């Protein structure tokens, strides 16, 4: 019997593993940065966080293209329900965490060896952060990891159009030319930019879109047990490279090209662990700065075993608590709003016929 394709079902252990690796790389990167461990042999640990975010972008583009394929209800109303679902997925917990940090005046903007720093934010800073438009308004993130959410939101605006464009069934050679042109445009923009912008990360998202297209034609033939080794190997090669923008883009495309070729992982232990971490990954991403700061800087005078216990306990508890109290209820509410919009649009369309 033919092995199920990695994208055939909504629960994908291979993609769960990739997402789990991404968030753990970000966490480990900031943890090692706090303790001043930036290099181990030839491996530059200082690049862990950026690599994790790049993996997130590949994963996000792929799964959202798959989601658009499942939930497409026609081009005229595709964009609005998609954005409703995504906004209720990304905004509620981000707003909650940012608001708590602002109220507590906790230093959560940047991390350096042994120290977290904050900013004396004004009203404009607060609004830019709460709306996740820090880069567009040239404002500093109040919660450091939220810098990536601004770029993710900008990419959300483009994905439905890209999906509709690909659905037209363009020949592979034409898509290849378009991809090359987009990459060339990104190179030009990046080379002439004085600040980080979306062009820096478009290739990472494009890698996920390429993966989405390839899964329609590439059969999964590589045994699933090699998938963790593949992801780990790609990460290790990047961390031993010069870690230029080109290296980051190359890693993303290698991942994107590799994803469709692997059969689904079948290890229950690995699958269950990956699924759990992936489920709470957004909460881990948004709260890990606070957990590291509280356990290892704010409580620096406490016994080591207590600090480690607080780090592990809160690091596990906060994402779970926030998922069930904020994240998941808002996701479901967003789905209901999107479905309501679709039904209302269909009803108005039927009445006007």
């Amino acid at each position: 019997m033919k092995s199920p394709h990695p994208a055939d079902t909504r629960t994908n252990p291979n993609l769960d593993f990739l997402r789990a690796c991404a968030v753990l790389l970000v966490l480990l990167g900031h943890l090692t940065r706090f303790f001043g461990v930036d290099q181990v042999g030839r491996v530059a640990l200082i690049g862990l966080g950026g690599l994790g975010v790049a993996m997130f972008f590949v994963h996000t583009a792929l799964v959202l293209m798959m989601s658009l394929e499942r939930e497409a209800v026609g081009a005229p109303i595709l964009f609005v329900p998609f954005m409703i679902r995504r906004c209720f997925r990304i905004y509620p917990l981000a707003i909650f965490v940012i608001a708590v940090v602002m109220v507590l005046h906790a230093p959560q903007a940047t991390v350096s060896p042994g120290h977290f720093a904050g900013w004396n934010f004004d009203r404009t800073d607060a609004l830019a952060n709460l709306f996740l438009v820090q880069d567009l308004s040239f404002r500093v993130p109040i919660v450091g990891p939220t810098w990536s959410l601004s770029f993710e939101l900008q990419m959300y605006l483009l994905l439905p159009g890209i999906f509709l464009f690909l659905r037209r069934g363009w020949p592979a050679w034409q898509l290849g030319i378009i991809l090359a042109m987009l990459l060339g445009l990104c190179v030009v923009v990046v080379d002439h930019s004085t600040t980080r912008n979306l062009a820096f990360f478009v290739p990472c998202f494009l890698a996920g879109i390429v993966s989405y297209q390839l899964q329609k034609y590439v059969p999964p033939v590589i045994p699933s047990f090699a998938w963790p080794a593949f992801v780990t190997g790609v990460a290790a090669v990047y961390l031993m490279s010069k870690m230029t923008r080109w290296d980051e883009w190359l890693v993303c495309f290698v991942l994107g090209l590799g994803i469709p070729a692997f059969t689904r992982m079948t290890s229950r232990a690995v699958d269950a662990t990956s699924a759990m971490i992936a489920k709470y990954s957004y909460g881990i991403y948004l709260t890990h700065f606070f957990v590291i700061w509280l356990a290892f800087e704010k409580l620096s005078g406490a016994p080591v075993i207590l600090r480690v216990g607080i780090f592990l306990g809160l690091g596990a508890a906060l994402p779970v608590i926030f998922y069930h109290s904020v994240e998941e209820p808002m996701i479901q509410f967003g789905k209901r709003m999107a479905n309501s919009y679709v039904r209302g649009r269909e009803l108005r369309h039927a009445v006007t016929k």
Side-chain angles (χ1 to χ4, degrees), residues 139-173:
R139 298 286 169 164
V140 176
I142 294 172
V143 178
T146 61
W147 70 265
S148 67
L149 302 184
S150 181
F151 296 111
E152 193 165 323
L153 277 169
Q154 293 170 48
M155 199 64 198
Y156 290 167
L157 299 174
L158 303 177
L159 284 178
I162 294 172
F163 171 77
L164 294 176
F165 177 81
L166 293 176
R167 198 166 63 169
R168 299 178 62 180
W170 294 80
W173 67 271

Side-chain angles (χ1 to χ4, degrees), residues 80-306:
V80 174
F82 172 78
M83 287 305 299
I84 290 174
R85 287 191 295 270
R86 296 317 301 167
C87 285
F88 277 94
R89 174 69 178 87
I90 199 170
Y91 269 111
L93 187 57
I95 290 173
F96 177 80
V97 171
I98 293 169
V100 169
V101 168
M102 288 193 296
V103 169
L104 296 178
H105 291 279
Q108 296 287 277
T110 62
V111 57
S112 57
H115 181 64
F116 280 84
W119 300 100
N120 293 321
F121 57 87
D122 57 23
R123 184 177 301 177
T124 305
D125 292 321
L127 289 175
N129 276 267
L130 291 173
F131 282 98
L132 298 177
V133 292
Q134 303 95 315
D135 70 299
L136 296 176
S137 56
F138 302 102
R139 298 286 169 164
V140 176
I142 294 172
V143 178
T146 61
W147 70 265
S148 67
L149 302 184
S150 181
F151 296 111
E152 193 165 323
L153 277 169
Q154 293 170 48
M155 199 64 198
Y156 290 167
L157 299 174
L158 303 177
L159 284 178
I162 294 172
F163 171 77
L164 294 176
F165 177 81
L166 293 176
R167 198 166 63 169
R168 299 178 62 180
W170 294 80
W173 67 271
Q174 292 183 2
L175 290 176
I177 292 175
I178 294 170
L179 176 63
M181 292 174 62
L182 286 174
L183 291 175
L185 178 61
C186 289
V187 171
V188 172
V189 173
V190 169
D191 284 345
H192 291 81
S193 296
T194 57
T195 59
R196 187 169 53 185
N197 54 59
L198 183 61
F200 282 69
F201 305 103
V202 163
C204 302
F205 289 105
L206 285 177
I209 295 169
V210 168
S211 187
Y212 164 75
Q213 282 294 102
L214 285 177
Q215 69 185 11
K216 301 176 183 178
Y217 311 106
V218 176
V221 294
I222 303 177
S224 60
F225 67 80
W227 172 242
F230 174 74
V231 175
T232 304
V234 169
V237 170
Y238 172 76
L239 295 173
M240 289 188 290
S241 72
K242 295 181 180 179
M243 296 190 298
T244 64
R245 183 63 53 189
W246 287 101
D247 293 324
E248 183 176 289
W249 292 355
L250 180 60
V251 162
C252 290
F253 273 97
V254 169
L255 280 174
L257 293 173
I259 289 171
F262 288 86
T263 59
R264 289 175 51 129
M265 292 194 302
T266 56
S267 169
R268 292 186 179 181
V270 175
D271 291 356
T273 303
S274 299
M276 182 178 63
I277 296 173
K279 179 177 181 178
Y280 300 116
S281 59
Y282 190 43
I284 296 171
Y285 187 76
L286 288 176
T287 62
H288 75 276
F289 253 38
F290 177 81
V291 174
I292 297 172
W293 167 75
L294 178 64
F296 298 118
E297 183 176 355
K298 187 68 174 178
L299 300 177
S300 59
V304 173
I305 190 170
L306 176 61

